[in-house]
Amino acid sequence: MDCWTSSLRVDDEYEKLVLRMNPPRVTVENSSSRKATLIKVDSTNKRGSLLEVVQVLNDMDLIIRRAYISSDGEWFMDVFHVTDKHGNKLSENDVAERIQQSLGPRARSFRSLRRSVGVQAAPEHTTIELTGRDRPGLLSEVFAVLTDLKCNVVAAEVWTHNSRMASVVYITSEATGLPIDDPDTLSKIKQLLLHVLKGHRDKRSANTVVSVGSTHKERRLHQMMYADRDYDMNDTVGSASKRCKPLVTIENVSDKGYTVVNLRCPDRPKLLFDTVCTLTDMQYVVYHATVIAEGPEAHLEYYIRHMDGNPISSDAERQRVVNCLEAAIKRRASEGISLELRCEDRVGLLSDVTRIFRENGLSVTRAEVTTRGSQAANIFYVIDTSGNPVKSETIEAVRQEIGQTILRVKDEADSNSSPQESGRFSLGNLFRSRSEKFLYQLGLLKSYS
């Protein structure tokens, strides 16, 4: 064992000892604010603590209205003003315990975060990670391959940005309901999916990883798209998204030795998680931060340094941080019409549904696939493959083929935002005047004005 490895192990053991002697303190109280619940976290400081806390709040579907973060020295203190996704204060039960678990020793933290993903734990599924060039029908082909290989999709999340696609898919064996761990089968799954991803135009950068284990979907999607350099490509999103481009400014505070990152953009859920995740994966440490997101626009200010303690030192690095933060915000933006599918789950369901989308000229820009017991609860964001607005008759044809009672149009403001956030930016808001008439024509609204 070399001295470097020995030193790392000593540091790790010392960190565990400090955490045992000074366990995190989490308080949750509803009396200080009329509109939000206050969550205060005090703990010894270790790399990634902020991300772990924000990740837990993210997994609990909490909306962060304000946040004040300070982590200089050996201790950090965070204060979050939060509501549930409907804009209500929280019950104090369970919140403090879950955050305390996330900040404990790393093994305990990992178990806590696995539970927070909202799908089955590690021994119960096989994880597939996919990255490649996005194109119409790609998701349909991926799910068709998995169906042919007798795989059942338990959960999945798909993001697209700048003509790139990233997906995390959890599967089990159709025959046994257990994870697939046979090396030959895993190799075959990987080969066939890689062939689909490469197609005729993505010979070098497509990638498939198949493993038996658990991963945090949204964290991995950010890491995968960052590794795929989606931030370093021409922006191909529509004009509406370009008008709402995030404003990111970066400057150094020479007397304090920090780099200050100011970010303004339309507010939305999970914005803090997306930006903190990106800064952490880029090897920056957030020492102080202020977040204000109580109106249609969010303002986030981060005081950061490199892990070696130095601020950003060049214009090229500064521009790279700007590009990466912009990409992190846009990846979760959902272009198109939101369709919600709720029905009895079965093997091949996703293959059939996405095939029908493809045959009707629709392309999936984002997808959230979950299974709760025997029920499938899936959301798809679709656009017209020709680049034109989705026609009402197209959606009606899709609903008739899939089943009007199980597939419905779901406005993005309803699916991702609380009533208080309905004035904030979303593609549902951008298309509101058109989609209200559209929903009325489908019989999903009783009146239209």
Side-chain angles (χ1 to χ4, degrees):
M1 182 188 302
D2 59 34
C3 294
W4 174 252
T5 303
S6 177
S7 175
L8 287 176
R9 290 188 177 180
V10 170
D11 289 344
D12 187 55
E13 290 303 316
Y14 176 73
E15 180 184 87
K16 291 177 182 178
L17 175 63
V18 171
L19 284 168
R20 284 194 294 269
M21 295 174 63
N22 301 278
R25 294 192 297 271
V26 180
T27 59
V28 180
E29 55 100 351
N30 281 316
S31 59
S32 298
S33 172
R34 184 171 55 87
K35 297 181 179 179
T37 297
L38 265 64
I39 299 176
K40 301 177 183 179
V41 183
D42 297 282
S43 175
T44 54
N45 196 15
K46 64 182 177 70
R47 184 174 181 270
S49 292
L50 173 61
L51 179 57
E52 289 182 357
V53 175
V54 174
Q55 186 167 297
V56 171
L57 300 180
N58 176 69
D59 292 340
M60 296 175 72
D61 287 329
L62 301 183
I63 306 298
I64 299 173
R65 305 296 184 182
R66 284 177 175 260
Y68 305 97
I69 295 156
S70 179
S71 61
D72 256 341
E74 298 299 319
W75 199 263
F76 84 88
M77 179 177 67
D78 300 341
V79 179
F80 301 93
H81 296 233
V82 305
T83 66
D84 65 18
K85 61 184 178 180
H86 303 295
N88 303 317
K89 287 186 176 184
L90 313 180
S91 163
E92 297 180 11
N93 297 332
D94 188 48
V95 176
E97 180 184 356
R98 290 187 65 176
I99 297 173
Q100 284 171 330
Q101 287 179 337
S102 79
L103 295 174
R106 293 190 182 276
R108 196 168 120 200
S109 170
F110 180 70
R111 289 196 298 271
S112 171
L113 293 178
R114 278 198 322 198
R115 287 197 298 272
S116 71
V117 173
V119 295
Q120 294 151 315
E124 299 177 4
H125 63 249
T126 298
T127 300
I128 302 174
E129 297 178 355
L130 308 170
T131 55
R133 181 181 179 86
D134 187 35
R135 54 181 168 80
L138 176 60
L139 195 59
S140 172
E141 294 177 28
V142 167
F143 287 140
V145 166
L146 293 176
T147 299
D148 289 342
L149 294 173
K150 308 299 181 183
C151 300
N152 182 41
V153 177
V154 177
E157 188 141 352
V158 182
W159 290 359
T160 61
H161 177 240
N162 272 355
S163 299
R164 307 301 300 173
M165 183 279 295
S167 177
V168 175
V169 184
Y170 298 152
I171 64 170
T172 58
S173 166
E174 177 186 348
T176 65
L178 299 174
I180 301 169
D181 54 10
D182 174 64
D184 291 338
T185 304
L186 294 177
S187 177
K188 186 175 182 180
I189 292 172
K190 182 175 180 178
Q191 271 188 338
L192 290 176
L193 289 178
L194 190 59
H195 179 73
V196 168
L197 289 172
K198 285 185 175 180
H200 300 293
R201 304 180 61 187
D202 203 13
K203 301 297 184 183
R204 293 181 297 175
S205 56
N207 189 41
T208 304
V209 176
V210 182
S211 62
V212 180
S214 183
T215 183
H216 188 277
K217 297 195 303 294
E218 295 171 347
R219 177 79 192 277
R220 281 300 297 145
L221 286 166
H222 277 302
Q223 292 174 334
M224 291 158 61
M225 298 205 89
Y226 174 69
D228 199 33
R229 301 180 68 89
D230 70 314
Y231 59 87
D232 198 25
M233 303 174 187
N234 292 328
D235 196 342
T236 58
V237 297
S239 58
S241 295
K242 289 180 180 179
R243 287 197 300 270
C244 298
K245 182 178 180 180
L247 175 63
V248 183
T249 60
I250 298 177
E251 61 180 349
N252 285 344
V253 181
S254 55
D255 58 330
K256 301 293 185 181
Y258 293 112
T259 294
V260 182
V261 179
N262 272 287
L263 191 155
R264 289 182 181 272
C265 67
D267 189 30
R268 61 161 174 77
K270 304 184 180 181
L271 179 63
L272 179 60
F273 170 80
D274 293 339
T275 52
V276 170
C277 183
T278 297
L279 291 171
T280 301
D281 288 338
M282 294 182 73
Q283 307 298 309
Y284 294 105
V285 178
V286 176
Y287 286 87
H288 303 280
T290 301
V291 176
I292 300 175
E294 294 180 321
E297 184 179 67
H299 177 207
L300 298 86
E301 182 178 66
Y302 297 112
Y303 286 72
I304 66 171
R305 292 176 181 148
H306 282 290
M307 288 183 62
D308 61 10
N310 293 318
I312 291 177
S313 59
S314 70
D315 289 340
E317 182 185 2
R318 187 176 292 108
Q319 186 59 51
R320 184 167 176 263
V321 173
V322 169
N323 292 345
C324 289
L325 287 172
E326 288 179 354
I329 294 168
K330 292 177 182 178
R331 288 169 193 151
R332 201 188 290 271
S334 307
E335 185 178 2
I337 299 293
S338 175
L339 301 176
E340 183 181 44
L341 176 72
R342 290 183 180 271
C343 62
E344 189 76 15
D345 189 34
R346 61 175 174 80
V347 175
L349 174 65
L350 293 169
S351 176
D352 291 341
V353 169
T354 52
R355 173 184 54 78
I356 292 169
F357 289 162
R358 184 191 67 207
E359 291 173 350
N360 284 272
L362 299 179
S363 182
V364 177
T365 61
R366 187 160 76 91
E368 302 169 14
V369 174
T370 55
T371 305
R372 300 184 179 98
S374 62
Q375 294 294 307
N378 307 328
I379 298 176
F380 303 94
Y381 299 84
V382 298
I383 60 174
D384 189 286
T385 55
S386 66
N388 298 318
V390 178
K391 295 180 179 179
S392 59
E393 52 265 34
T394 301
I395 298 297
E396 177 65 9
V398 168
R399 292 183 67 236
Q400 286 182 347
E401 191 167 353
I402 294 175
Q404 290 184 322
T405 59
I406 64 174
L407 183 70
R408 69 185 184 94
V409 178
K410 185 175 180 66
D411 184 21
E412 187 180 31
D414 294 333
S415 63
N416 285 335
S417 305
S418 67
Q420 289 83 352
E421 296 173 305
S422 59
R424 300 180 185 187
F425 168 74
S426 72
L427 284 161
N429 288 335
L430 291 176
F431 295 112
R432 183 168 303 284
S433 61
R434 180 183 301 152
S435 64
E436 284 184 350
K437 181 178 180 180
F438 164 66
L439 292 172
Y440 173 72
Q441 291 172 342
L442 293 184
L444 299 177
L445 284 181
K446 293 183 179 179
S447 64
Y448 169 70
S449 57

